[in-house]
Amino acid sequence: MMKKKTALIVVLIAVALLIVGCGPKKGGSVSTDGSTSMEKVIGALGEAFMKDNEGTTFTYNPTGSGSGIEAVKTGRCDIGLASRALKEEEKKDGLVETTLALDGIAMIVSPENPVGDLTIEQIADIYTGAITNWKDVGGNDAEIVVIGREAGSGTRDGFESVTGTKDKCTYRQELTSTGDVITTVSSNPDAIGYASLASVKDSVKAVAVGGVAPSEDTVRDGSYKLQRPFVLVTKKDGKLSETAQKFFDFVTSNKANDIISASGVVPVK
Amino acid sequence: MTRKKEKTVQENIRRKRVERIIHGIFLMLGLITVGCVLLITIYLVISGIPAMRTIGLKEFLFGQKWASTAAEPKFGILPFILTSIYGTAGAIVLGVPVGFFAAVYIAKIAKGKIKWLLQSAVGMLAGVPSVVYGLVGMMVLVPGIRKLFKVPDGASLLASIIVLAIMILPSIIKVSVTALESVPPEYEEASLAMGATPIETYFRVSVPSARSGIAAAVVLGVGRAIGEAMAVMMVAGNAPNMPTLFESVRFLTTAVASEMSYSSGLQRQALFSIALVLYFFIMLINAALNFFLKRGNVKQS
């Protein structure tokens, strides 16, 4: 009998603790919605923000740039995330963009490949299948092996929208991670692939685009063309909630730069 | 005396109650398994049907073009179905002869240390995670095929077939060995006593007696090959082409796995539909497996 009573008490205490532990949190919340490409950077920023401001909640809804912009306009979220600059008509609708970071996309080939410079047009031709041999762009006489990412990937979306090859690419391989792309390109001297600039390693060679070698500096000053902005979208006349404003200030401050760099994109400041 | 009797009666009641409780617990654990199967089936059917309806069953199953994120999306999975069938068939063609003869050798001919070595090697092969097969395939096999056959890229149906053939070896060998070892020794002794050589005995007596078990082993291999995703994804190239030996291809499994993480809307629903098709294939294979196993039991009794 004694044992049962003890067990009962233990269970009661556990339940009580559980209820207390799950009680409502104090503090406000900030909701973001938009680009899937920004998942990594915004997730890292959100985590850091929640750590610094105990009790606040941060949410991110990966829906895509278009839906994110729409969500801000209709007030379904505090801050919209877009991996492209706003269009004129979107700005006319009373939306403001603040560039959070720049995403540089590096074109990578095997270190054995003699080609070191391609124009955006050449890259587009290679990916759409208009150019199929390396000798047409100053390389060896060998078939080009076109490597890309899977449908829906943010990097693929970024690459295809910057080069204007959306839905027109013919891939030899569609791989599911940046790491796979780099490994595959490094092991095939005739392969070409694209990857986020920050993840490029020594095992592959990043070619210059239009004569400009990719680096944080050339991405930041805009001379490296294969890049896209990550922007925060807010309403011009609408006022952010206190917590949302705090989050906005935090991610656009210098303090956030390290986190932004660590997630593979170039901070603007 | 009566008191003692009462005690035994009470003891019996108590024992029975414990029995009942334990029985209940086991029943519940068993039902969890059944529940999981039911849950998965219902979930797959519910989430797989809508896309088939929207796209059209014929368009979906026999369409030759897959472009899920294009402005005008196309959802034809015939390339995936054919690739899965060709890939599995290829793996069986390569893997079954090797597995079968290895099984005969292990079960009947090998003795002592060699037998131990072979059996542990097969066990190890079964324990290697599929991502490791994929990695080795990606680093060794894919560049190897590229150089050997002078093709621009080695990630192809052939690479997947070779990886799958190696991956199904352990299941084929293990089940076949068990089947061969359970052949009654009297059969073999009789054959040997009639003057047949050992090799004749193994292939004319032991193998035919174990054939339902060996058939089950092959079907198990088919199941494993058609359901493998990770290793194949790393060597197949994953472009949604109609299958040819040296082109990059996409299997049913990899079609689901590679696009799931970023998918949305109809694309996601279509991925569930692919999973439903795959599930249907696996069910067919299971039915075949049960058929072979049951036939084996009837024969032996």
Side-chain angles (χ1 to χ4, degrees):
Chain A
M1 248 359 231
M2 245 348 247
K3 261 187 190 166
K4 268 188 188 163
K5 252 185 199 161
T6 331
L8 194 71
I9 290 169
V10 168
V11 168
L12 276 179
I13 291 174
V15 169
L17 280 176
L18 214 68
I19 291 169
V20 171
C22 291
K25 279 182 180 162
K26 311 184 284 255
S29 69
V30 48
S31 61
T32 61
D33 191 317
S35 169
T36 48
S37 315
M38 291 170 69
E39 179 161 13
K40 208 168 155 191
V41 60
I42 205 72
L45 288 169
E47 250 169 50
F49 180 69
M50 280 195 287
K51 210 181 214 174
D52 289 352
N53 300 272
E54 213 156 306
T56 55
T57 44
F58 164 84
T59 59
Y60 159 66
N61 198 6
T63 53
S65 300
S67 331
I69 292 165
E70 194 58 34
V72 187
K73 213 161 70 182
T74 54
R76 274 184 285 123
C77 70
D78 297 319
I79 300 168
L81 309 170
S83 47
R84 60 170 169 82
L86 285 182
K87 294 174 188 152
E88 276 311 310
E89 65 257 32
E90 286 162 349
K91 285 183 183 163
K92 258 182 220 154
D93 283 341
L95 297 176
V96 200
E97 63 181 11
T98 312
T99 307
L100 175 71
L102 297 167
D103 181 26
I105 299 167
M107 298 309 301
I108 52 172
V109 295
S110 157
E112 297 165 38
N113 196 318
V115 175
D117 191 354
L118 293 167
T119 65
I120 288 206
E121 290 74 38
Q122 282 174 327
I123 294 169
D125 283 346
I126 288 173
Y127 272 82
T128 52
I131 296 177
T132 56
N133 198 305
W134 280 112
K135 68 173 191 252
D136 295 337
V137 289
N140 303 326
D141 183 6
E143 196 182 315
I144 302 176
V145 176
V146 178
I147 313 277
R149 292 286 305 275
E150 81 279 15
S153 142
T155 315
R156 170 161 162 173
D157 177 60
F159 169 81
E160 291 187 355
S161 51
V162 174
T163 54
T165 55
K166 226 164 182 15
D167 304 343
K168 284 183 277 185
C169 288
T170 47
Y171 291 104
R172 170 81 203 201
Q173 287 201 39
E174 290 182 29
L175 303 173
T176 49
S177 76
T178 305
D180 281 354
V181 172
I182 292 173
T183 314
T184 307
V185 170
S186 66
S187 66
N188 188 338
D190 304 325
I192 185 167
Y194 48 76
S196 201
L197 183 57
S199 48
V200 172
K201 300 188 194 75
D202 289 340
S203 58
V204 289
K205 182 171 78 173
V207 299
V209 174
V212 181
S215 72
E216 276 208 13
D217 295 329
T218 54
V219 168
R220 197 176 291 133
D221 67 21
S223 56
Y224 183 77
K225 292 286 178 245
L226 218 52
Q227 60 160 287
R228 57 181 176 158
F230 281 173
V231 301
L232 305 171
V233 185
T234 45
K235 274 186 187 166
K236 196 185 274 174
D237 45 3
K239 205 171 166 293
L240 288 172
S241 73
E242 197 187 323
T243 322
Q245 186 64 48
K246 218 165 154 190
F247 178 74
F248 190 90
D249 292 342
F250 165 68
V251 298
T252 49
S253 71
N254 287 327
K255 272 192 292 182
N257 279 0
D258 286 342
I259 303 168
I260 292 172
S261 301
S263 35
V265 288
V266 181
V268 274
K269 276 183 237 70
Chain B
M1 196 59 193
T2 33
R3 198 177 263 176
K4 216 175 185 183
K5 224 179 190 175
E6 240 168 53
K7 239 185 179 174
T8 21
V9 168
Q10 266 185 349
E11 179 73 16
N12 271 344
I13 290 174
R14 202 185 63 84
R15 275 183 161 179
K16 265 188 190 150
R17 197 186 295 150
V18 170
E19 280 288 312
R20 264 210 299 277
I21 291 173
I22 290 176
H23 178 260
I25 291 173
F26 283 176
L27 180 70
M28 213 169 68
L29 294 178
L31 285 180
I32 288 177
T33 320
V34 178
C36 285
V37 173
L38 275 181
L39 208 71
I40 291 171
T41 313
I42 293 169
Y43 182 72
L44 258 188
V45 170
I46 289 178
S47 34
I49 295 286
M52 287 191 185
R53 282 233 179 113
T54 321
I55 300 158
L57 191 64
K58 205 175 146 214
E59 184 94 343
F60 182 68
L61 289 179
F62 299 106
Q64 301 196 2
K65 199 164 160 44
W66 174 269
S68 54
T69 53
E72 276 177 45
K74 289 261 182 356
F75 297 99
I77 65 164
L78 189 65
F80 308 159
I81 295 178
L82 287 183
T83 302
S84 274
I85 292 174
Y86 290 0
T88 308
I92 292 297
V93 167
L94 284 187
V96 165
V98 178
F100 169 71
F101 289 111
V104 173
Y105 183 75
I106 291 175
K108 298 296 171 196
I109 303 169
K111 295 270 169 330
K113 269 196 176 152
I114 295 184
K115 181 168 176 161
W116 173 85
L117 183 76
L118 281 171
Q119 266 179 326
S120 7
V122 172
M124 292 267 279
L125 208 56
V128 174
S130 59
V131 66
V132 174
Y133 282 105
L135 196 68
V136 175
M138 195 173 169
M139 307 303 280
V140 181
L141 194 60
V142 171
I145 287 178
R146 184 172 59 81
K147 287 189 188 121
L148 197 63
F149 294 97
K150 304 253 180 311
V151 286
D153 188 22
S156 58
L157 183 58
L158 181 65
S160 330
I161 286 176
I162 294 173
V163 168
L164 284 177
I166 296 170
M167 288 185 76
I168 63 175
L169 276 182
S171 29
I172 291 179
I173 295 177
K174 274 187 169 173
V175 178
S176 302
V177 165
T178 315
L180 284 167
E181 278 179 345
S182 59
V183 171
E186 295 86 3
Y187 290 13
E188 287 161 11
E189 281 158 12
S191 165
L192 290 170
M194 300 279 284
T197 65
I199 297 287
E200 278 172 349
T201 304
Y202 301 145
F203 285 98
R204 296 262 169 89
V205 177
S206 315
V207 170
S209 318
R211 76 173 166 235
S212 72
I214 295 172
V218 173
V219 177
L220 210 64
V222 172
R224 172 121 204 224
I226 207 165
E228 176 54 40
M230 192 65 217
V232 162
M233 193 149 93
M234 297 170 81
V235 298
N238 301 324
N241 300 322
M242 288 297 266
T244 40
L245 203 54
F246 291 108
E247 277 293 319
S248 143
V249 290
R250 197 186 287 187
F251 288 69
L252 284 169
T253 46
T254 50
V256 179
S258 63
E259 286 189 17
M260 195 46 111
S261 51
Y262 294 113
S263 64
S264 60
L266 185 60
Q267 182 196 6
R268 170 162 287 217
Q269 289 180 337
L271 294 183
F272 276 112
S273 304
I274 296 178
L276 187 61
V277 172
L278 184 65
Y279 188 73
F280 177 72
F281 274 107
I282 301 276
M283 283 292 137
L284 277 185
I285 290 162
N286 262 345
L289 188 66
N290 280 336
F291 171 75
F292 283 122
L293 288 178
K294 221 174 240 164
R295 210 175 57 169
N297 285 344
V298 171
K299 268 211 148 156
Q300 269 164 21
S301 62

